[in-house]
mmCIF file with all atom_site columns, all heavy atoms in Angstrom:
data_model
loop_
_atom_site.group_PDB
_atom_site.id
_atom_site.type_symbol
_atom_site.label_atom_id
_atom_site.label_alt_id
_atom_site.label_comp_id
_atom_site.label_asym_id
_atom_site.label_entity_id
_atom_site.label_seq_id
_atom_site.pdbx_PDB_ins_code
_atom_site.Cartn_x
_atom_site.Cartn_y
_atom_site.Cartn_z
_atom_site.occupancy
_atom_site.B_iso_or_equiv
_atom_site.pdbx_formal_charge
_atom_site.auth_seq_id
_atom_site.auth_comp_id
_atom_site.auth_asym_id
_atom_site.auth_atom_id
_atom_site.pdbx_PDB_model_num
ATOM 1   N N   . MET A 1 87  ? 92.182  105.916 92.042  1.00 0.00 ? 87  MET A N   1
ATOM 2   C CA  . MET A 1 87  ? 92.467  107.145 92.791  1.00 0.00 ? 87  MET A CA  1
ATOM 3   C C   . MET A 1 87  ? 93.922  107.105 93.244  1.00 0.00 ? 87  MET A C   1
ATOM 4   O O   . MET A 1 87  ? 94.381  106.077 93.742  1.00 0.00 ? 87  MET A O   1
ATOM 5   C CB  . MET A 1 87  ? 91.584  107.212 94.050  1.00 0.00 ? 87  MET A CB  1
ATOM 6   C CG  . MET A 1 87  ? 90.113  107.380 93.766  1.00 0.00 ? 87  MET A CG  1
ATOM 7   S SD  . MET A 1 87  ? 89.107  106.799 95.167  1.00 0.00 ? 87  MET A SD  1
ATOM 8   C CE  . MET A 1 87  ? 89.065  105.036 94.848  1.00 0.00 ? 87  MET A CE  1
ATOM 9   N N   . GLU A 1 88  ? 94.618  108.212 93.085  1.00 0.00 ? 88  GLU A N   1
ATOM 10  C CA  . GLU A 1 88  ? 95.959  108.323 93.643  1.00 0.00 ? 88  GLU A CA  1
ATOM 11  C C   . GLU A 1 88  ? 95.834  108.923 95.039  1.00 0.00 ? 88  GLU A C   1
ATOM 12  O O   . GLU A 1 88  ? 95.163  109.927 95.229  1.00 0.00 ? 88  GLU A O   1
ATOM 13  C CB  . GLU A 1 88  ? 96.844  109.218 92.775  1.00 0.00 ? 88  GLU A CB  1
ATOM 14  C CG  . GLU A 1 88  ? 98.252  109.296 93.337  1.00 0.00 ? 88  GLU A CG  1
ATOM 15  C CD  . GLU A 1 88  ? 99.119  110.363 92.695  1.00 0.00 ? 88  GLU A CD  1
ATOM 16  O OE1 . GLU A 1 88  ? 99.018  111.536 93.104  1.00 0.00 ? 88  GLU A OE1 1
ATOM 17  O OE2 . GLU A 1 88  ? 99.912  110.020 91.812  1.00 0.00 ? 88  GLU A OE2 1
ATOM 18  N N   . ILE A 1 89  ? 96.501  108.292 96.000  1.00 0.00 ? 89  ILE A N   1
ATOM 19  C CA  . ILE A 1 89  ? 96.458  108.778 97.386  1.00 0.00 ? 89  ILE A CA  1
ATOM 20  C C   . ILE A 1 89  ? 97.865  109.212 97.783  1.00 0.00 ? 89  ILE A C   1
ATOM 21  O O   . ILE A 1 89  ? 98.816  108.427 97.653  1.00 0.00 ? 89  ILE A O   1
ATOM 22  C CB  . ILE A 1 89  ? 96.034  107.672 98.384  1.00 0.00 ? 89  ILE A CB  1
ATOM 23  C CG1 . ILE A 1 89  ? 94.993  106.735 97.784  1.00 0.00 ? 89  ILE A CG1 1
ATOM 24  C CG2 . ILE A 1 89  ? 95.592  108.268 99.711  1.00 0.00 ? 89  ILE A CG2 1
ATOM 25  C CD1 . ILE A 1 89  ? 93.665  107.287 97.542  1.00 0.00 ? 89  ILE A CD1 1
ATOM 26  N N   . PHE A 1 90  ? 97.979  110.413 98.267  1.00 0.00 ? 90  PHE A N   1
ATOM 27  C CA  . PHE A 1 90  ? 99.264  110.928 98.748  1.00 0.00 ? 90  PHE A CA  1
ATOM 28  C C   . PHE A 1 90  ? 99.281  110.811 100.258 1.00 0.00 ? 90  PHE A C   1
ATOM 29  O O   . PHE A 1 90  ? 98.330  111.218 100.924 1.00 0.00 ? 90  PHE A O   1
ATOM 30  C CB  . PHE A 1 90  ? 99.418  112.397 98.354  1.00 0.00 ? 90  PHE A CB  1
ATOM 31  C CG  . PHE A 1 90  ? 100.735 112.676 97.708  1.00 0.00 ? 90  PHE A CG  1
ATOM 32  C CD1 . PHE A 1 90  ? 100.847 112.759 96.334  1.00 0.00 ? 90  PHE A CD1 1
ATOM 33  C CD2 . PHE A 1 90  ? 101.870 112.842 98.486  1.00 0.00 ? 90  PHE A CD2 1
ATOM 34  C CE1 . PHE A 1 90  ? 102.063 113.010 95.736  1.00 0.00 ? 90  PHE A CE1 1
ATOM 35  C CE2 . PHE A 1 90  ? 103.093 113.100 97.900  1.00 0.00 ? 90  PHE A CE2 1
ATOM 36  C CZ  . PHE A 1 90  ? 103.194 113.186 96.518  1.00 0.00 ? 90  PHE A CZ  1
ATOM 37  N N   . ILE A 1 91  ? 100.367 110.268 100.787 1.00 0.00 ? 91  ILE A N   1
ATOM 38  C CA  . ILE A 1 91  ? 100.455 110.055 102.238 1.00 0.00 ? 91  ILE A CA  1
ATOM 39  C C   . ILE A 1 91  ? 101.679 110.763 102.793 1.00 0.00 ? 91  ILE A C   1
ATOM 40  O O   . ILE A 1 91  ? 102.798 110.552 102.314 1.00 0.00 ? 91  ILE A O   1
ATOM 41  C CB  . ILE A 1 91  ? 100.545 108.544 102.561 1.00 0.00 ? 91  ILE A CB  1
ATOM 42  C CG1 . ILE A 1 91  ? 99.330  107.821 101.959 1.00 0.00 ? 91  ILE A CG1 1
ATOM 43  C CG2 . ILE A 1 91  ? 100.605 108.305 104.057 1.00 0.00 ? 91  ILE A CG2 1
ATOM 44  C CD1 . ILE A 1 91  ? 99.669  106.512 101.373 1.00 0.00 ? 91  ILE A CD1 1
ATOM 45  N N   . ASP A 1 92  ? 101.465 111.609 103.771 1.00 0.00 ? 92  ASP A N   1
ATOM 46  C CA  . ASP A 1 92  ? 102.560 112.301 104.457 1.00 0.00 ? 92  ASP A CA  1
ATOM 47  C C   . ASP A 1 92  ? 102.651 111.752 105.881 1.00 0.00 ? 92  ASP A C   1
ATOM 48  O O   . ASP A 1 92  ? 101.626 111.588 106.547 1.00 0.00 ? 92  ASP A O   1
ATOM 49  C CB  . ASP A 1 92  ? 102.290 113.806 104.517 1.00 0.00 ? 92  ASP A CB  1
ATOM 50  C CG  . ASP A 1 92  ? 102.244 114.428 103.130 1.00 0.00 ? 92  ASP A CG  1
ATOM 51  O OD1 . ASP A 1 92  ? 103.261 114.367 102.430 1.00 0.00 ? 92  ASP A OD1 1
ATOM 52  O OD2 . ASP A 1 92  ? 101.181 114.963 102.757 1.00 0.00 ? 92  ASP A OD2 1
ATOM 53  N N   . VAL A 1 93  ? 103.894 111.478 106.311 1.00 0.00 ? 93  VAL A N   1
ATOM 54  C CA  . VAL A 1 93  ? 104.099 110.914 107.655 1.00 0.00 ? 93  VAL A CA  1
ATOM 55  C C   . VAL A 1 93  ? 104.882 111.924 108.503 1.00 0.00 ? 93  VAL A C   1
ATOM 56  O O   . VAL A 1 93  ? 105.926 112.431 108.060 1.00 0.00 ? 93  VAL A O   1
ATOM 57  C CB  . VAL A 1 93  ? 104.871 109.577 107.581 1.00 0.00 ? 93  VAL A CB  1
ATOM 58  C CG1 . VAL A 1 93  ? 105.085 108.993 108.970 1.00 0.00 ? 93  VAL A CG1 1
ATOM 59  C CG2 . VAL A 1 93  ? 104.121 108.589 106.702 1.00 0.00 ? 93  VAL A CG2 1
ATOM 60  N N   . TRP A 1 94  ? 104.380 112.190 109.686 1.00 0.00 ? 94  TRP A N   1
ATOM 61  C CA  . TRP A 1 94  ? 104.977 113.190 110.571 1.00 0.00 ? 94  TRP A CA  1
ATOM 62  C C   . TRP A 1 94  ? 105.330 112.560 111.916 1.00 0.00 ? 94  TRP A C   1
ATOM 63  O O   . TRP A 1 94  ? 104.621 111.675 112.396 1.00 0.00 ? 94  TRP A O   1
ATOM 64  C CB  . TRP A 1 94  ? 103.988 114.334 110.836 1.00 0.00 ? 94  TRP A CB  1
ATOM 65  C CG  . TRP A 1 94  ? 103.394 114.919 109.593 1.00 0.00 ? 94  TRP A CG  1
ATOM 66  C CD1 . TRP A 1 94  ? 102.300 114.474 108.899 1.00 0.00 ? 94  TRP A CD1 1
ATOM 67  C CD2 . TRP A 1 94  ? 103.872 116.064 108.864 1.00 0.00 ? 94  TRP A CD2 1
ATOM 68  N NE1 . TRP A 1 94  ? 102.068 115.266 107.794 1.00 0.00 ? 94  TRP A NE1 1
ATOM 69  C CE2 . TRP A 1 94  ? 103.014 116.258 107.754 1.00 0.00 ? 94  TRP A CE2 1
ATOM 70  C CE3 . TRP A 1 94  ? 104.936 116.950 109.057 1.00 0.00 ? 94  TRP A CE3 1
ATOM 71  C CZ2 . TRP A 1 94  ? 103.201 117.288 106.832 1.00 0.00 ? 94  TRP A CZ2 1
ATOM 72  C CZ3 . TRP A 1 94  ? 105.102 117.979 108.141 1.00 0.00 ? 94  TRP A CZ3 1
ATOM 73  C CH2 . TRP A 1 94  ? 104.247 118.142 107.052 1.00 0.00 ? 94  TRP A CH2 1
ATOM 74  N N   . ILE A 1 95  ? 106.424 113.051 112.525 1.00 0.00 ? 95  ILE A N   1
ATOM 75  C CA  . ILE A 1 95  ? 106.750 112.648 113.906 1.00 0.00 ? 95  ILE A CA  1
ATOM 76  C C   . ILE A 1 95  ? 106.614 113.886 114.774 1.00 0.00 ? 95  ILE A C   1
ATOM 77  O O   . ILE A 1 95  ? 107.006 114.993 114.383 1.00 0.00 ? 95  ILE A O   1
ATOM 78  C CB  . ILE A 1 95  ? 108.199 112.159 114.071 1.00 0.00 ? 95  ILE A CB  1
ATOM 79  C CG1 . ILE A 1 95  ? 108.624 111.239 112.940 1.00 0.00 ? 95  ILE A CG1 1
ATOM 80  C CG2 . ILE A 1 95  ? 108.379 111.433 115.397 1.00 0.00 ? 95  ILE A CG2 1
ATOM 81  C CD1 . ILE A 1 95  ? 110.067 110.792 113.082 1.00 0.00 ? 95  ILE A CD1 1
ATOM 82  N N   . GLU A 1 96  ? 106.095 113.658 115.997 1.00 0.00 ? 96  GLU A N   1
ATOM 83  C CA  . GLU A 1 96  ? 105.815 114.791 116.888 1.00 0.00 ? 96  GLU A CA  1
ATOM 84  C C   . GLU A 1 96  ? 106.871 114.844 117.986 1.00 0.00 ? 96  GLU A C   1
ATOM 85  O O   . GLU A 1 96  ? 107.116 113.833 118.645 1.00 0.00 ? 96  GLU A O   1
ATOM 86  C CB  . GLU A 1 96  ? 104.432 114.518 117.483 1.00 0.00 ? 96  GLU A CB  1
ATOM 87  C CG  . GLU A 1 96  ? 103.797 115.647 118.194 1.00 0.00 ? 96  GLU A CG  1
ATOM 88  C CD  . GLU A 1 96  ? 102.381 115.229 118.607 1.00 0.00 ? 96  GLU A CD  1
ATOM 89  O OE1 . GLU A 1 96  ? 101.610 114.706 117.769 1.00 0.00 ? 96  GLU A OE1 1
ATOM 90  O OE2 . GLU A 1 96  ? 102.068 115.416 119.788 1.00 0.00 ? 96  GLU A OE2 1
ATOM 91  N N   . ASP A 1 97  ? 107.487 116.000 118.159 1.00 0.00 ? 97  ASP A N   1
ATOM 92  C CA  . ASP A 1 97  ? 108.479 116.142 119.230 1.00 0.00 ? 97  ASP A CA  1
ATOM 93  C C   . ASP A 1 97  ? 107.772 116.079 120.586 1.00 0.00 ? 97  ASP A C   1
ATOM 94  O O   . ASP A 1 97  ? 106.751 116.743 120.795 1.00 0.00 ? 97  ASP A O   1
ATOM 95  C CB  . ASP A 1 97  ? 109.216 117.482 119.082 1.00 0.00 ? 97  ASP A CB  1
ATOM 96  C CG  . ASP A 1 97  ? 110.316 117.636 120.114 1.00 0.00 ? 97  ASP A CG  1
ATOM 97  O OD1 . ASP A 1 97  ? 111.393 117.070 119.898 1.00 0.00 ? 97  ASP A OD1 1
ATOM 98  O OD2 . ASP A 1 97  ? 110.077 118.291 121.150 1.00 0.00 ? 97  ASP A OD2 1
ATOM 99  N N   . ARG A 1 98  ? 108.359 115.264 121.506 1.00 0.00 ? 98  ARG A N   1
ATOM 100 C CA  . ARG A 1 98  ? 107.679 115.042 122.791 1.00 0.00 ? 98  ARG A CA  1
ATOM 101 C C   . ARG A 1 98  ? 107.512 116.343 123.588 1.00 0.00 ? 98  ARG A C   1
ATOM 102 O O   . ARG A 1 98  ? 106.464 116.601 124.148 1.00 0.00 ? 98  ARG A O   1
ATOM 103 C CB  . ARG A 1 98  ? 108.462 114.033 123.627 1.00 0.00 ? 98  ARG A CB  1
ATOM 104 C CG  . ARG A 1 98  ? 107.727 113.663 124.914 1.00 0.00 ? 98  ARG A CG  1
ATOM 105 C CD  . ARG A 1 98  ? 108.352 112.509 125.620 1.00 0.00 ? 98  ARG A CD  1
ATOM 106 N NE  . ARG A 1 98  ? 109.780 112.685 125.744 1.00 0.00 ? 98  ARG A NE  1
ATOM 107 C CZ  . ARG A 1 98  ? 110.687 111.708 125.584 1.00 0.00 ? 98  ARG A CZ  1
ATOM 108 N NH1 . ARG A 1 98  ? 110.300 110.503 125.280 1.00 0.00 ? 98  ARG A NH1 1
ATOM 109 N NH2 . ARG A 1 98  ? 111.967 111.936 125.727 1.00 0.00 ? 98  ARG A NH2 1
ATOM 110 N N   . GLU A 1 99  ? 108.552 117.176 123.592 1.00 0.00 ? 99  GLU A N   1
ATOM 111 C CA  . GLU A 1 99  ? 108.491 118.370 124.445 1.00 0.00 ? 99  GLU A CA  1
ATOM 112 C C   . GLU A 1 99  ? 107.772 119.546 123.783 1.00 0.00 ? 99  GLU A C   1
ATOM 113 O O   . GLU A 1 99  ? 106.890 120.157 124.383 1.00 0.00 ? 99  GLU A O   1
ATOM 114 C CB  . GLU A 1 99  ? 109.908 118.774 124.862 1.00 0.00 ? 99  GLU A CB  1
ATOM 115 C CG  . GLU A 1 99  ? 110.455 117.796 125.881 1.00 0.00 ? 99  GLU A CG  1
ATOM 116 C CD  . GLU A 1 99  ? 111.901 118.053 126.230 1.00 0.00 ? 99  GLU A CD  1
ATOM 117 O OE1 . GLU A 1 99  ? 112.449 119.093 125.815 1.00 0.00 ? 99  GLU A OE1 1
ATOM 118 O OE2 . GLU A 1 99  ? 112.467 117.199 126.910 1.00 0.00 ? 99  GLU A OE2 1
ATOM 119 N N   . SER A 1 100 ? 108.159 119.847 122.532 1.00 0.00 ? 100 SER A N   1
ATOM 120 C CA  . SER A 1 100 ? 107.572 121.039 121.896 1.00 0.00 ? 100 SER A CA  1
ATOM 121 C C   . SER A 1 100 ? 106.250 120.741 121.184 1.00 0.00 ? 100 SER A C   1
ATOM 122 O O   . SER A 1 100 ? 105.450 121.647 120.940 1.00 0.00 ? 100 SER A O   1
ATOM 123 C CB  . SER A 1 100 ? 108.548 121.621 120.872 1.00 0.00 ? 100 SER A CB  1
ATOM 124 O OG  . SER A 1 100 ? 108.695 120.705 119.806 1.00 0.00 ? 100 SER A OG  1
#
Side-chain angles (χ1 to χ4, degrees):
M87 293 157 278
E88 182 191 83
I89 324 291
F90 229 99
I91 303 140
D92 296 299
V93 180
W94 309 85
I95 317 178
E96 192 175 311
D97 184 80
R98 186 170 48 220
E99 287 174 9
S100 67

